[in-house]
Amino acid sequence: MTESRMLWLFHANTDAPHPQFTLLAVDGADALRAESAATAAFERTAAPHSWLAASPPVRRRLVQDCRSVPTVALIHLADQNPGHSSAQALRLSLAQLAEEGPSGSWSGTGSQQIAITLTTVPHGDASMATEAVRAALGQRFAGVAGPDQWPGLHMLTTLTSVACQETAALDLADDEDLLTIYDQYTVGELSAAPSRNGNDHEPGV
């Protein structure tokens, strides 16, 4: 990764009653440091399968350790429209993230090319998912990272997706709320105004 690129980690849960999509964005210049910090955090404390089922001490340790992971933004979207197929929801989520997601403007560096890595492969069809990403990002698309790259950040993205789904209607203490590790985050609905923000402004391109 280089400073001219941004790394997006994309997690899709299309098996949920309401499909869920999570994007973790990391600046290319910080990607190796972010991976190292995330890997170290999960080596110290194994990632739980459920955020709420984890004990408070486990949640607190992970929140504390993951605060050292440098990130640009976290966006989580839920599709509440029962009329969408899972493939439609995937394409719509990518289109919305391409429009609203960060691409370098927050750091003042202008629009960056985006390398994306999929923490899940919707429907087991990697080529379909890649083409959906390519169509959404257009000229900003810089390729798809291999499935074995960025395992620490993959784990953080997956765990954050679980936490977003489980705690949407809850108010956890800051030291047990995984979302508090992110300076910029948005939790909302597909094609709808965000419902929960951890920043003063909505992310933009």
Side-chain angles (χ1 to χ4, degrees):
M1 294 295 295
T2 66
E3 292 183 7
S4 64
R5 291 185 177 181
M6 182 170 288
L7 175 65
W8 281 14
L9 296 104
F10 180 70
H11 183 90
N13 179 5
T14 55
D15 294 327
H18 299 289
Q20 310 276 325
F21 305 95
T22 307
L23 169 70
L24 173 59
V26 177
D27 196 275
D30 293 329
L32 291 177
R33 184 161 60 94
E35 172 62 23
S36 178
T39 298
F42 294 121
E43 286 177 346
R44 286 189 289 269
T45 307
H49 295 294
S50 166
W51 188 250
L52 290 182
S55 67
V58 166
R59 292 198 295 258
R60 286 194 290 268
R61 282 199 302 272
L62 284 170
V63 168
Q64 179 179 352
D65 289 346
C66 289
R67 289 190 193 281
S68 64
V69 180
T71 63
V72 175
L74 184 285
I75 302 175
H76 180 85
L77 301 173
D79 183 13
Q80 303 292 345
N81 189 333
H84 290 156
S85 68
S86 57
Q88 282 180 302
L90 173 67
R91 290 193 296 269
L92 289 169
S93 71
L94 287 167
Q96 186 167 334
L97 291 169
E99 181 179 349
E100 298 179 355
S103 59
S105 58
W106 282 347
S107 61
T109 58
S111 182
Q112 295 172 309
Q113 281 198 309
I114 296 167
I116 194 162
T117 178
L118 306 174
T119 65
T120 55
V121 180
H123 316 294
D125 190 339
S127 61
M128 180 276 290
T130 299
E131 285 309 308
V133 170
R134 189 191 305 273
L137 292 178
Q139 293 184 348
R140 290 179 294 164
F141 179 71
V144 176
D148 297 328
Q149 293 182 268
W150 315 108
L153 291 172
H154 275 218
M155 183 63 69
L156 179 57
T157 307
T158 301
L159 184 59
T160 302
S161 180
V162 170
C164 286
Q165 294 174 62
E166 293 184 343
T167 66
L170 300 177
D171 187 16
L172 295 179
D174 283 355
D175 63 351
E176 294 183 30
D177 186 348
L178 190 60
L179 286 177
T180 62
I181 73 170
Y182 301 106
D183 292 332
Q184 308 279 354
Y185 71 82
T186 299
V187 178
E189 297 181 4
L190 189 61
S191 301
S195 59
R196 182 181 177 194
N197 290 280
N199 48 279
D200 294 331
H201 59 278
E202 296 177 18
V205 175

